[in-house]
Structures are given as C-alpha cells and as structure tokens.
PDB file of all heavy atoms in Angstrom:
ATOM      1  N   LEU R 660     -61.982   0.089 -34.408  1.00  0.00           N
ATOM      2  CA  LEU R 660     -61.101  -0.936 -33.853  1.00  0.00           C
ATOM      3  C   LEU R 660     -61.865  -2.041 -33.128  1.00  0.00           C
ATOM      4  O   LEU R 660     -61.333  -2.683 -32.241  1.00  0.00           O
ATOM      5  CB  LEU R 660     -60.096  -0.283 -32.901  1.00  0.00           C
ATOM      6  CG  LEU R 660     -59.191   0.766 -33.531  1.00  0.00           C
ATOM      7  CD1 LEU R 660     -58.348   1.452 -32.467  1.00  0.00           C
ATOM      8  CD2 LEU R 660     -58.305   0.153 -34.585  1.00  0.00           C
ATOM      9  N   LEU R 661     -63.110  -2.259 -33.518  1.00  0.00           N
ATOM     10  CA  LEU R 661     -63.922  -3.284 -32.866  1.00  0.00           C
ATOM     11  C   LEU R 661     -63.642  -4.651 -33.477  1.00  0.00           C
ATOM     12  O   LEU R 661     -63.261  -4.771 -34.632  1.00  0.00           O
ATOM     13  CB  LEU R 661     -65.409  -2.951 -33.021  1.00  0.00           C
ATOM     14  CG  LEU R 661     -65.875  -1.669 -32.342  1.00  0.00           C
ATOM     15  CD1 LEU R 661     -67.324  -1.395 -32.707  1.00  0.00           C
ATOM     16  CD2 LEU R 661     -65.700  -1.749 -30.847  1.00  0.00           C
ATOM     17  N   PHE R 662     -63.857  -5.690 -32.661  1.00  0.00           N
ATOM     18  CA  PHE R 662     -63.726  -7.063 -33.141  1.00  0.00           C
ATOM     19  C   PHE R 662     -64.902  -7.388 -34.062  1.00  0.00           C
ATOM     20  O   PHE R 662     -65.960  -6.774 -33.977  1.00  0.00           O
ATOM     21  CB  PHE R 662     -63.734  -8.053 -31.971  1.00  0.00           C
ATOM     22  CG  PHE R 662     -62.541  -7.949 -31.072  1.00  0.00           C
ATOM     23  CD1 PHE R 662     -62.690  -7.605 -29.735  1.00  0.00           C
ATOM     24  CD2 PHE R 662     -61.268  -8.203 -31.542  1.00  0.00           C
ATOM     25  CE1 PHE R 662     -61.604  -7.513 -28.897  1.00  0.00           C
ATOM     26  CE2 PHE R 662     -60.168  -8.120 -30.716  1.00  0.00           C
ATOM     27  CZ  PHE R 662     -60.337  -7.770 -29.386  1.00  0.00           C
ATOM     28  N   PRO R 663     -64.759  -8.403 -34.926  1.00  0.00           N
ATOM     29  CA  PRO R 663     -65.897  -8.840 -35.751  1.00  0.00           C
ATOM     30  C   PRO R 663     -67.053  -9.345 -34.878  1.00  0.00           C
ATOM     31  O   PRO R 663     -66.876  -9.693 -33.716  1.00  0.00           O
ATOM     32  CB  PRO R 663     -65.321  -9.985 -36.590  1.00  0.00           C
ATOM     33  CG  PRO R 663     -63.855  -9.777 -36.583  1.00  0.00           C
ATOM     34  CD  PRO R 663     -63.529  -9.107 -35.275  1.00  0.00           C
ATOM     35  N   ARG R 664     -68.233  -9.395 -35.447  1.00  0.00           N
ATOM     36  CA  ARG R 664     -69.461  -9.778 -34.740  1.00  0.00           C
ATOM     37  C   ARG R 664     -69.349 -11.151 -34.071  1.00  0.00           C
ATOM     38  O   ARG R 664     -69.905 -11.374 -33.013  1.00  0.00           O
ATOM     39  CB  ARG R 664     -70.620  -9.770 -35.745  1.00  0.00           C
ATOM     40  CG  ARG R 664     -71.911 -10.331 -35.217  1.00  0.00           C
ATOM     41  CD  ARG R 664     -72.833  -9.260 -34.741  1.00  0.00           C
ATOM     42  NE  ARG R 664     -74.114  -9.834 -34.347  1.00  0.00           N
ATOM     43  CZ  ARG R 664     -74.524  -9.844 -33.084  1.00  0.00           C
ATOM     44  NH1 ARG R 664     -73.793  -9.310 -32.151  1.00  0.00           N
ATOM     45  NH2 ARG R 664     -75.688 -10.358 -32.770  1.00  0.00           N
ATOM     46  N   GLN R 665     -68.617 -12.092 -34.683  1.00  0.00           N
ATOM     47  CA  GLN R 665     -68.517 -13.457 -34.148  1.00  0.00           C
ATOM     48  C   GLN R 665     -67.857 -13.481 -32.773  1.00  0.00           C
ATOM     49  O   GLN R 665     -68.081 -14.412 -31.995  1.00  0.00           O
ATOM     50  CB  GLN R 665     -67.710 -14.352 -35.100  1.00  0.00           C
ATOM     51  CG  GLN R 665     -68.362 -14.571 -36.445  1.00  0.00           C
ATOM     52  CD  GLN R 665     -68.140 -13.416 -37.421  1.00  0.00           C
ATOM     53  OE1 GLN R 665     -67.409 -12.480 -37.152  1.00  0.00           O
ATOM     54  NE2 GLN R 665     -68.811 -13.491 -38.547  1.00  0.00           N
ATOM     55  N   PHE R 666     -67.070 -12.488 -32.446  1.00  0.00           N
ATOM     56  CA  PHE R 666     -66.411 -12.453 -31.152  1.00  0.00           C
ATOM     57  C   PHE R 666     -67.410 -12.260 -30.005  1.00  0.00           C
ATOM     58  O   PHE R 666     -67.110 -12.579 -28.860  1.00  0.00           O
ATOM     59  CB  PHE R 666     -65.356 -11.343 -31.115  1.00  0.00           C
ATOM     60  CG  PHE R 666     -64.043 -11.733 -31.721  1.00  0.00           C
ATOM     61  CD1 PHE R 666     -63.911 -11.901 -33.090  1.00  0.00           C
ATOM     62  CD2 PHE R 666     -62.933 -11.937 -30.927  1.00  0.00           C
ATOM     63  CE1 PHE R 666     -62.717 -12.273 -33.660  1.00  0.00           C
ATOM     64  CE2 PHE R 666     -61.727 -12.305 -31.483  1.00  0.00           C
ATOM     65  CZ  PHE R 666     -61.618 -12.472 -32.853  1.00  0.00           C
ATOM     66  N   HIS R 667     -68.581 -11.730 -30.329  1.00  0.00           N
ATOM     67  CA  HIS R 667     -69.609 -11.528 -29.308  1.00  0.00           C
ATOM     68  C   HIS R 667     -70.019 -12.868 -28.695  1.00  0.00           C
ATOM     69  O   HIS R 667     -70.061 -13.021 -27.483  1.00  0.00           O
ATOM     70  CB  HIS R 667     -70.806 -10.824 -29.948  1.00  0.00           C
ATOM     71  CG  HIS R 667     -71.791 -10.288 -28.974  1.00  0.00           C
ATOM     72  ND1 HIS R 667     -71.605  -9.100 -28.328  1.00  0.00           N
ATOM     73  CD2 HIS R 667     -72.961 -10.794 -28.528  1.00  0.00           C
ATOM     74  CE1 HIS R 667     -72.628  -8.889 -27.527  1.00  0.00           C
ATOM     75  NE2 HIS R 667     -73.458  -9.907 -27.626  1.00  0.00           N
ATOM     76  N   LEU R 668     -70.291 -13.857 -29.551  1.00  0.00           N
ATOM     77  CA  LEU R 668     -70.656 -15.193 -29.077  1.00  0.00           C
ATOM     78  C   LEU R 668     -69.496 -15.847 -28.334  1.00  0.00           C
ATOM     79  O   LEU R 668     -69.691 -16.450 -27.274  1.00  0.00           O
ATOM     80  CB  LEU R 668     -71.098 -16.072 -30.253  1.00  0.00           C
ATOM     81  CG  LEU R 668     -71.440 -17.514 -29.908  1.00  0.00           C
ATOM     82  CD1 LEU R 668     -72.618 -17.574 -28.935  1.00  0.00           C
ATOM     83  CD2 LEU R 668     -71.737 -18.305 -31.163  1.00  0.00           C
ATOM     84  N   VAL R 669     -68.286 -15.714 -28.873  1.00  0.00           N
ATOM     85  CA  VAL R 669     -67.103 -16.266 -28.208  1.00  0.00           C
ATOM     86  C   VAL R 669     -66.952 -15.649 -26.814  1.00  0.00           C
ATOM     87  O   VAL R 669     -66.631 -16.344 -25.842  1.00  0.00           O
ATOM     88  CB  VAL R 669     -65.828 -16.033 -29.060  1.00  0.00           C
ATOM     89  CG1 VAL R 669     -64.583 -16.444 -28.311  1.00  0.00           C
ATOM     90  CG2 VAL R 669     -65.937 -16.769 -30.383  1.00  0.00           C
ATOM     91  N   GLY R 670     -67.204 -14.348 -26.723  1.00  0.00           N
ATOM     92  CA  GLY R 670     -67.121 -13.671 -25.428  1.00  0.00           C
ATOM     93  C   GLY R 670     -68.078 -14.259 -24.414  1.00  0.00           C
ATOM     94  O   GLY R 670     -67.710 -14.519 -23.259  1.00  0.00           O
ATOM     95  N   TRP R 671     -69.336 -14.481 -24.833  1.00  0.00           N
ATOM     96  CA  TRP R 671     -70.301 -15.069 -23.903  1.00  0.00           C
ATOM     97  C   TRP R 671     -69.925 -16.500 -23.529  1.00  0.00           C
ATOM     98  O   TRP R 671     -70.126 -16.917 -22.388  1.00  0.00           O
ATOM     99  CB  TRP R 671     -71.723 -15.025 -24.496  1.00  0.00           C
ATOM    100  CG  TRP R 671     -72.327 -13.659 -24.405  1.00  0.00           C
ATOM    101  CD1 TRP R 671     -72.595 -12.819 -25.433  1.00  0.00           C
ATOM    102  CD2 TRP R 671     -72.717 -12.963 -23.214  1.00  0.00           C
ATOM    103  NE1 TRP R 671     -73.125 -11.645 -24.953  1.00  0.00           N
ATOM    104  CE2 TRP R 671     -73.217 -11.705 -23.597  1.00  0.00           C
ATOM    105  CE3 TRP R 671     -72.685 -13.275 -21.866  1.00  0.00           C
ATOM    106  CZ2 TRP R 671     -73.682 -10.767 -22.682  1.00  0.00           C
ATOM    107  CZ3 TRP R 671     -73.149 -12.340 -20.954  1.00  0.00           C
ATOM    108  CH2 TRP R 671     -73.635 -11.105 -21.360  1.00  0.00           C
ATOM    109  N   LEU R 672     -69.372 -17.240 -24.495  1.00  0.00           N
ATOM    110  CA  LEU R 672     -68.957 -18.626 -24.214  1.00  0.00           C
ATOM    111  C   LEU R 672     -67.766 -18.685 -23.263  1.00  0.00           C
ATOM    112  O   LEU R 672     -67.580 -19.679 -22.557  1.00  0.00           O
ATOM    113  CB  LEU R 672     -68.632 -19.359 -25.516  1.00  0.00           C
ATOM    114  CG  LEU R 672     -69.823 -19.645 -26.424  1.00  0.00           C
ATOM    115  CD1 LEU R 672     -69.355 -20.266 -27.738  1.00  0.00           C
ATOM    116  CD2 LEU R 672     -70.845 -20.531 -25.732  1.00  0.00           C
ATOM    117  N   LEU R 673     -66.959 -17.650 -23.223  1.00  0.00           N
ATOM    118  CA  LEU R 673     -65.867 -17.573 -22.251  1.00  0.00           C
ATOM    119  C   LEU R 673     -66.355 -17.020 -20.914  1.00  0.00           C
ATOM    120  O   LEU R 673     -65.994 -17.512 -19.848  1.00  0.00           O
ATOM    121  CB  LEU R 673     -64.742 -16.676 -22.778  1.00  0.00           C
ATOM    122  CG  LEU R 673     -63.830 -17.230 -23.846  1.00  0.00           C
ATOM    123  CD1 LEU R 673     -62.947 -16.130 -24.393  1.00  0.00           C
ATOM    124  CD2 LEU R 673     -62.987 -18.357 -23.284  1.00  0.00           C
ATOM    125  N   PHE R 674     -67.167 -15.972 -20.986  1.00  0.00           N
ATOM    126  CA  PHE R 674     -67.565 -15.239 -19.781  1.00  0.00           C
ATOM    127  C   PHE R 674     -68.465 -16.061 -18.861  1.00  0.00           C
ATOM    128  O   PHE R 674     -68.220 -16.129 -17.652  1.00  0.00           O
ATOM    129  CB  PHE R 674     -68.272 -13.937 -20.175  1.00  0.00           C
ATOM    130  CG  PHE R 674     -68.648 -13.077 -19.012  1.00  0.00           C
ATOM    131  CD1 PHE R 674     -67.719 -12.227 -18.450  1.00  0.00           C
ATOM    132  CD2 PHE R 674     -69.920 -13.112 -18.464  1.00  0.00           C
ATOM    133  CE1 PHE R 674     -68.044 -11.428 -17.374  1.00  0.00           C
ATOM    134  CE2 PHE R 674     -70.265 -12.324 -17.391  1.00  0.00           C
ATOM    135  CZ  PHE R 674     -69.324 -11.474 -16.837  1.00  0.00           C
ATOM    136  N   ILE R 675     -69.502 -16.675 -19.400  1.00  0.00           N
ATOM    137  CA  ILE R 675     -70.495 -17.358 -18.555  1.00  0.00           C
ATOM    138  C   ILE R 675     -69.894 -18.518 -17.761  1.00  0.00           C
ATOM    139  O   ILE R 675     -70.053 -18.568 -16.530  1.00  0.00           O
ATOM    140  CB  ILE R 675     -71.723 -17.788 -19.386  1.00  0.00           C
ATOM    141  CG1 ILE R 675     -72.500 -16.541 -19.818  1.00  0.00           C
ATOM    142  CG2 ILE R 675     -72.613 -18.736 -18.605  1.00  0.00           C
ATOM    143  CD1 ILE R 675     -73.643 -16.810 -20.756  1.00  0.00           C
ATOM    144  N   PRO R 676     -69.188 -19.469 -18.393  1.00  0.00           N
ATOM    145  CA  PRO R 676     -68.613 -20.549 -17.573  1.00  0.00           C
ATOM    146  C   PRO R 676     -67.575 -20.047 -16.567  1.00  0.00           C
ATOM    147  O   PRO R 676     -67.542 -20.522 -15.430  1.00  0.00           O
ATOM    148  CB  PRO R 676     -67.949 -21.481 -18.589  1.00  0.00           C
ATOM    149  CG  PRO R 676     -68.491 -21.121 -19.908  1.00  0.00           C
ATOM    150  CD  PRO R 676     -68.947 -19.714 -19.819  1.00  0.00           C
ATOM    151  N   ALA R 677     -66.753 -19.074 -16.995  1.00  0.00           N
ATOM    152  CA  ALA R 677     -65.749 -18.538 -16.073  1.00  0.00           C
ATOM    153  C   ALA R 677     -66.420 -17.837 -14.901  1.00  0.00           C
ATOM    154  O   ALA R 677     -65.976 -17.967 -13.755  1.00  0.00           O
ATOM    155  CB  ALA R 677     -64.804 -17.587 -16.808  1.00  0.00           C
ATOM    156  N   ALA R 678     -67.492 -17.105 -15.161  1.00  0.00           N
ATOM    157  CA  ALA R 678     -68.209 -16.419 -14.081  1.00  0.00           C
ATOM    158  C   ALA R 678     -68.867 -17.423 -13.129  1.00  0.00           C
ATOM    159  O   ALA R 678     -68.852 -17.231 -11.907  1.00  0.00           O
ATOM    160  CB  ALA R 678     -69.252 -15.466 -14.661  1.00  0.00           C
ATOM    161  N   ILE R 679     -69.420 -18.493 -13.673  1.00  0.00           N
ATOM    162  CA  ILE R 679     -70.041 -19.519 -12.820  1.00  0.00           C
ATOM    163  C   ILE R 679     -68.989 -20.182 -11.934  1.00  0.00           C
ATOM    164  O   ILE R 679     -69.187 -20.321 -10.716  1.00  0.00           O
ATOM    165  CB  ILE R 679     -70.788 -20.555 -13.681  1.00  0.00           C
ATOM    166  CG1 ILE R 679     -72.018 -19.919 -14.313  1.00  0.00           C
ATOM    167  CG2 ILE R 679     -71.182 -21.775 -12.846  1.00  0.00           C
ATOM    168  CD1 ILE R 679     -72.707 -20.779 -15.348  1.00  0.00           C
ATOM    169  N   VAL R 680     -67.871 -20.590 -12.524  1.00  0.00           N
ATOM    170  CA  VAL R 680     -66.800 -21.203 -11.726  1.00  0.00           C
ATOM    171  C   VAL R 680     -66.260 -20.194 -10.718  1.00  0.00           C
ATOM    172  O   VAL R 680     -65.993 -20.543  -9.558  1.00  0.00           O
ATOM    173  CB  VAL R 680     -65.666 -21.735 -12.637  1.00  0.00           C
ATOM    174  CG1 VAL R 680     -64.479 -22.192 -11.820  1.00  0.00           C
ATOM    175  CG2 VAL R 680     -66.178 -22.874 -13.501  1.00  0.00           C
ATOM    176  N   GLY R 681     -66.134 -18.932 -11.134  1.00  0.00           N
ATOM    177  CA  GLY R 681     -65.667 -17.895 -10.218  1.00  0.00           C
ATOM    178  C   GLY R 681     -66.599 -17.721  -9.026  1.00  0.00           C
ATOM    179  O   GLY R 681     -66.148 -17.571  -7.890  1.00  0.00           O
ATOM    180  N   MET R 682     -67.917 -17.752  -9.274  1.00  0.00           N
ATOM    181  CA  MET R 682     -68.875 -17.638  -8.172  1.00  0.00           C
ATOM    182  C   MET R 682     -68.801 -18.856  -7.254  1.00  0.00           C
ATOM    183  O   MET R 682     -68.904 -18.723  -6.032  1.00  0.00           O
ATOM    184  CB  MET R 682     -70.291 -17.449  -8.705  1.00  0.00           C
ATOM    185  CG  MET R 682     -70.562 -16.051  -9.205  1.00  0.00           C
ATOM    186  SD  MET R 682     -72.277 -15.766  -9.585  1.00  0.00           S
ATOM    187  CE  MET R 682     -72.330 -16.271 -11.283  1.00  0.00           C
ATOM    188  N   LEU R 683     -68.640 -20.035  -7.848  1.00  0.00           N
ATOM    189  CA  LEU R 683     -68.497 -21.245  -7.023  1.00  0.00           C
ATOM    190  C   LEU R 683     -67.260 -21.149  -6.137  1.00  0.00           C
ATOM    191  O   LEU R 683     -67.301 -21.534  -4.962  1.00  0.00           O
ATOM    192  CB  LEU R 683     -68.431 -22.488  -7.903  1.00  0.00           C
ATOM    193  CG  LEU R 683     -69.711 -22.864  -8.650  1.00  0.00           C
ATOM    194  CD1 LEU R 683     -69.450 -24.023  -9.605  1.00  0.00           C
ATOM    195  CD2 LEU R 683     -70.825 -23.199  -7.671  1.00  0.00           C
ATOM    196  N   LEU R 684     -66.176 -20.638  -6.689  1.00  0.00           N
ATOM    197  CA  LEU R 684     -64.956 -20.455  -5.896  1.00  0.00           C
ATOM    198  C   LEU R 684     -65.142 -19.365  -4.845  1.00  0.00           C
ATOM    199  O   LEU R 684     -64.716 -19.509  -3.696  1.00  0.00           O
ATOM    200  CB  LEU R 684     -63.778 -20.092  -6.793  1.00  0.00           C
ATOM    201  CG  LEU R 684     -63.257 -21.179  -7.716  1.00  0.00           C
ATOM    202  CD1 LEU R 684     -62.227 -20.601  -8.673  1.00  0.00           C
ATOM    203  CD2 LEU R 684     -62.659 -22.317  -6.910  1.00  0.00           C
ATOM    204  N   TYR R 685     -65.771 -18.283  -5.236  1.00  0.00           N
ATOM    205  CA  TYR R 685     -65.952 -17.137  -4.341  1.00  0.00           C
ATOM    206  C   TYR R 685     -66.787 -17.512  -3.117  1.00  0.00           C
ATOM    207  O   TYR R 685     -66.486 -17.104  -2.003  1.00  0.00           O
ATOM    208  CB  TYR R 685     -66.603 -15.987  -5.104  1.00  0.00           C
ATOM    209  CG  TYR R 685     -66.769 -14.720  -4.308  1.00  0.00           C
ATOM    210  CD1 TYR R 685     -65.692 -13.887  -4.073  1.00  0.00           C
ATOM    211  CD2 TYR R 685     -68.009 -14.366  -3.793  1.00  0.00           C
ATOM    212  CE1 TYR R 685     -65.833 -12.723  -3.347  1.00  0.00           C
ATOM    213  CE2 TYR R 685     -68.169 -13.206  -3.069  1.00  0.00           C
ATOM    214  CZ  TYR R 685     -67.073 -12.380  -2.850  1.00  0.00           C
ATOM    215  OH  TYR R 685     -67.231 -11.222  -2.125  1.00  0.00           O
ATOM    216  N   PHE R 686     -67.851 -18.285  -3.358  1.00  0.00           N
ATOM    217  CA  PHE R 686     -68.716 -18.671  -2.254  1.00  0.00           C
ATOM    218  C   PHE R 686     -68.312 -20.005  -1.639  1.00  0.00           C
ATOM    219  O   PHE R 686     -69.081 -20.616  -0.901  1.00  0.00           O
ATOM    220  CB  PHE R 686     -70.176 -18.709  -2.716  1.00  0.00           C
ATOM    221  CG  PHE R 686     -70.707 -17.350  -3.064  1.00  0.00           C
ATOM    222  CD1 PHE R 686     -71.017 -17.028  -4.381  1.00  0.00           C
ATOM    223  CD2 PHE R 686     -70.876 -16.381  -2.100  1.00  0.00           C
ATOM    224  CE1 PHE R 686     -71.499 -15.784  -4.719  1.00  0.00           C
ATOM    225  CE2 PHE R 686     -71.355 -15.125  -2.414  1.00  0.00           C
ATOM    226  CZ  PHE R 686     -71.666 -14.825  -3.731  1.00  0.00           C
ATOM    227  N   SER R 687     -67.122 -20.484  -1.946  1.00  0.00           N
ATOM    228  CA  SER R 687     -66.505 -21.678  -1.353  1.00  0.00           C
ATOM    229  C   SER R 687     -67.292 -22.961  -1.571  1.00  0.00           C
ATOM    230  O   SER R 687     -67.303 -23.847  -0.725  1.00  0.00           O
ATOM    231  CB  SER R 687     -66.258 -21.457   0.142  1.00  0.00           C
ATOM    232  OG  SER R 687     -65.401 -20.380   0.336  1.00  0.00           O
ATOM    233  N   PHE R 688     -67.970 -23.070  -2.717  1.00  0.00           N
ATOM    234  CA  PHE R 688     -68.631 -24.324  -3.045  1.00  0.00           C
ATOM    235  C   PHE R 688     -67.635 -25.321  -3.627  1.00  0.00           C
ATOM    236  O   PHE R 688     -67.894 -26.519  -3.643  1.00  0.00           O
ATOM    237  CB  PHE R 688     -69.787 -24.099  -4.029  1.00  0.00           C
ATOM    238  CG  PHE R 688     -70.932 -23.342  -3.419  1.00  0.00           C
ATOM    239  CD1 PHE R 688     -71.349 -22.141  -3.957  1.00  0.00           C
ATOM    240  CD2 PHE R 688     -71.603 -23.831  -2.314  1.00  0.00           C
ATOM    241  CE1 PHE R 688     -72.410 -21.442  -3.400  1.00  0.00           C
ATOM    242  CE2 PHE R 688     -72.663 -23.149  -1.751  1.00  0.00           C
ATOM    243  CZ  PHE R 688     -73.068 -21.948  -2.298  1.00  0.00           C
ATOM    244  N   CYS R 689     -66.525 -24.810  -4.152  1.00  0.00           N
ATOM    245  CA  CYS R 689     -65.452 -25.660  -4.691  1.00  0.00           C
ATOM    246  C   CYS R 689     -64.148 -25.240  -4.026  1.00  0.00           C
ATOM    247  O   CYS R 689     -63.881 -24.057  -3.876  1.00  0.00           O
ATOM    248  CB  CYS R 689     -65.308 -25.481  -6.196  1.00  0.00           C
ATOM    249  SG  CYS R 689     -66.719 -26.010  -7.133  1.00  0.00           S
ATOM    250  N   ASN R 690     -63.381 -26.209  -3.620  1.00  0.00           N
ATOM    251  CA  ASN R 690     -62.070 -25.908  -3.037  1.00  0.00           C
ATOM    252  C   ASN R 690     -60.997 -26.688  -3.780  1.00  0.00           C
ATOM    253  O   ASN R 690     -61.119 -27.897  -3.970  1.00  0.00           O
ATOM    254  CB  ASN R 690     -62.032 -26.276  -1.549  1.00  0.00           C
ATOM    255  CG  ASN R 690     -62.881 -25.346  -0.721  1.00  0.00           C
ATOM    256  OD1 ASN R 690     -62.961 -24.159  -0.999  1.00  0.00           O
ATOM    257  ND2 ASN R 690     -63.531 -25.886   0.299  1.00  0.00           N
ATOM    258  N   PHE R 691     -59.980 -25.974  -4.196  1.00  0.00           N
ATOM    259  CA  PHE R 691     -58.828 -26.592  -4.835  1.00  0.00           C
ATOM    260  C   PHE R 691     -57.608 -26.266  -3.999  1.00  0.00           C
ATOM    261  O   PHE R 691     -57.604 -25.296  -3.244  1.00  0.00           O
ATOM    262  CB  PHE R 691     -58.648 -26.058  -6.264  1.00  0.00           C
ATOM    263  CG  PHE R 691     -59.797 -26.369  -7.171  1.00  0.00           C
ATOM    264  CD1 PHE R 691     -60.736 -25.400  -7.492  1.00  0.00           C
ATOM    265  CD2 PHE R 691     -59.941 -27.622  -7.722  1.00  0.00           C
ATOM    266  CE1 PHE R 691     -61.791 -25.678  -8.332  1.00  0.00           C
ATOM    267  CE2 PHE R 691     -60.997 -27.926  -8.568  1.00  0.00           C
ATOM    268  CZ  PHE R 691     -61.925 -26.948  -8.871  1.00  0.00           C
ATOM    269  N   HIS R 692     -56.571 -27.051  -4.148  1.00  0.00           N
ATOM    270  CA  HIS R 692     -55.360 -26.828  -3.372  1.00  0.00           C
ATOM    271  C   HIS R 692     -54.143 -26.913  -4.276  1.00  0.00           C
ATOM    272  O   HIS R 692     -54.131 -27.633  -5.276  1.00  0.00           O
ATOM    273  CB  HIS R 692     -55.247 -27.856  -2.236  1.00  0.00           C
ATOM    274  CG  HIS R 692     -56.425 -27.835  -1.315  1.00  0.00           C
ATOM    275  ND1 HIS R 692     -56.649 -26.822  -0.415  1.00  0.00           N
ATOM    276  CD2 HIS R 692     -57.469 -28.696  -1.178  1.00  0.00           C
ATOM    277  CE1 HIS R 692     -57.770 -27.061   0.251  1.00  0.00           C
ATOM    278  NE2 HIS R 692     -58.290 -28.199  -0.199  1.00  0.00           N
ATOM    279  N   GLY R 693     -53.126 -26.173  -3.903  1.00  0.00           N
ATOM    280  CA  GLY R 693     -51.846 -26.240  -4.606  1.00  0.00           C
ATOM    281  C   GLY R 693     -51.890 -25.632  -5.994  1.00  0.00           C
ATOM    282  O   GLY R 693     -52.513 -24.598  -6.229  1.00  0.00           O
TER     283      GLY R 693
END
C-alpha cells in the first residue's frame, strides 16, 4: 500500500518549506494576526 516513488520528492518539497515556516513561527521570527 505504498505510494509510487515520485511521492518521495513531493513529500520533501512539502515538508521542507513547511518545516522552515513552522520554525520561523515557533521561534517568533514571523508574526501573523487574524
């Protein structure tokens, strides 16, 4: 039930930017409101 091999690259392309933005939010380098 595994995804095709191409999903591996898609996963990294989703994970890395989201993790970077998440760290910026977590350490309060970016603040959004509302």
Side-chain angles (χ1 to χ4, degrees):
L660 300 174
L661 296 174
F662 293 118
R664 172 97 175 113
Q665 295 81 6
F666 277 71
H667 193 81
L668 177 62
V669 173
W671 283 111
L672 291 175
L673 284 171
F674 183 83
I675 291 174
I679 291 171
V680 172
M682 284 189 271
L683 292 174
L684 291 172
Y685 183 77
F686 293 112
S687 300
F688 292 121
C689 295
N690 290 324
F691 297 103
H692 302 287

